[in-house]
Amino acid sequence: MDHTTLDAIDVHVHVEIDRHGHLSLPEDFLEASAQYFGADHRAPTMAEIADYYRQRRIGAVVFTVDIESATGHPALSNEEIAEAAGQHSDVLIPFASIDPAKGAAGARRFRELVTGHGMRGLKFHPSVQNFAPNDGSAYPLLEVAQELGVPALFHTGQTGIGAGMPGGGGIKLGLSNPMLLDEVAVEFPDLTIIMAHPSFPWQDEALAVATHKPNVYIDLSGWSPKYFPPQLVRYANSLLQDKVLFGSDYPLITPDRWMSDFAKLDIKPHVRQKIIKDNAVRVLGLEENK
């Protein structure tokens, strides 16, 4: 990817369907999340995602979430995502997702996905995958990520997945408390950790971890910027200006909507450029891959 041809980089884009029409989540979960976000939900193909982002001169980090052990729902193919991203490498950057319950076998597979298939990072959703980031189950995967120098992106805060379903679809919000990642940052000091989303109801905790741990970053996906907590805007505009990343949560929130609302925030011009693109270029190692 030549990042100089891009105006922005979106670090949080979901792949929700494969070439055979298999969805990344059970249908009832997808419907509930679409209702939660008020989205006219559809599941674009990888080619459609690439076209959408290419038209906007935006790069996109794309991934699925492997939730097989918690739900029994078969995961989308990481290999297929990597292949499709390779066909659209001008705009797409693929991250892998492997259920931590897959243990050492999952770690071996992740190594092959990075070294043999061009995966550039690792995506987790603790609440949906039903694990705590600091319980050790993901550590074999994180050891590989740290060794190979690729980032790990963790969902934090409340989730729209399961929202409104009986018992929240069995999803435990507490597993996505960003304070659980503080211990992970201690155990893996050379691993780049990205905390996804404004971490409601733990925004202050997320800011504390990102301020204290040099290897921890925050992406701003999943919320329209007009709803960002004031302290998040204040920190993004000052102490954390080099550690905050643009993310949309497409297709549930579009980059068009996100960018329009972000433009209305009181953000310093040089900080705006860092958030929209420059921080992601550094975190993803795109300078060396120009």
Side-chain angles (χ1 to χ4, degrees), residues 9-211:
I9 297 174
D10 183 343
V11 301
H12 202 111
V13 175
H14 286 271
V15 179
E16 296 186 338
I17 195 168
D18 68 13
R19 62 170 64 107
H20 306 291
H22 176 64
L23 294 169
S24 61
L25 289 169
E27 187 69 39
D28 54 347
F29 278 85
L30 281 173
E31 290 175 359
S33 64
Q35 184 173 354
Y36 173 84
F37 280 98
D40 181 15
H41 187 266
R42 57 185 293 272
T45 66
M46 289 281 287
E48 289 171 335
I49 292 172
D51 287 344
Y52 180 93
Y53 278 85
R54 189 176 291 116
Q55 290 171 18
R56 289 157 176 78
R57 292 173 53 91
I58 301 175
V61 171
V62 292
F63 47 73
T64 186
V65 181
D66 179 352
I67 58 172
E68 193 166 4
S69 70
T71 67
H73 186 80
L76 302 188
S77 166
N78 282 296
E79 290 81 2
E80 181 179 316
I81 290 172
E83 178 186 356
Q87 294 168 355
H88 301 281
S89 60
D90 58 318
V91 288
L92 299 186
I93 303 164
F95 274 27
S97 179
I98 296 178
D99 195 323
K102 295 178 179 176
R108 287 192 298 271
R109 183 170 174 231
F110 176 56
R111 181 181 296 277
E112 172 58 24
L113 286 168
V114 175
T115 61
H117 295 271
M119 285 294 193
R120 301 293 299 275
L122 185 59
K123 160 68 176 176
F124 295 100
H125 196 311
S127 291
V128 183
Q129 292 174 314
N130 196 32
F131 80 101
N134 63 344
D135 68 9
S137 60
Y139 285 12
L141 289 163
L142 297 178
E143 287 168 0
V144 175
Q146 180 172 253
E147 176 191 340
L148 298 180
V150 298
L153 173 66
F154 286 84
H155 172 93
T156 64
Q158 186 179 352
T159 178
I161 299 174
M165 298 174 65
I171 291 168
K172 302 167 186 173
L173 298 181
L175 295 174
S176 292
N177 186 327
M179 283 305 300
L180 301 178
L181 288 167
D182 185 64
E183 185 175 337
V184 177
V186 171
E187 295 297 323
F188 297 92
D190 297 320
L191 172 68
T192 296
I193 298 169
I194 304 171
M195 299 187 293
H197 315 309
S199 304
F200 174 79
W202 302 292
Q203 183 62 80
D204 289 343
E205 286 86 339
L207 293 172
V209 175
T211 303

Side-chain angles (χ1 to χ4, degrees), residues 233-253:
V233 177
R234 186 167 62 251
Y235 272 74
N237 211 14
S238 56
L239 290 176
L240 294 180
Q241 63 181 272
D242 296 317
K243 302 187 74 180
V244 175
L245 312 167
F246 159 47
S248 68
D249 220 5
Y250 184 79
L252 291 170
I253 292 179

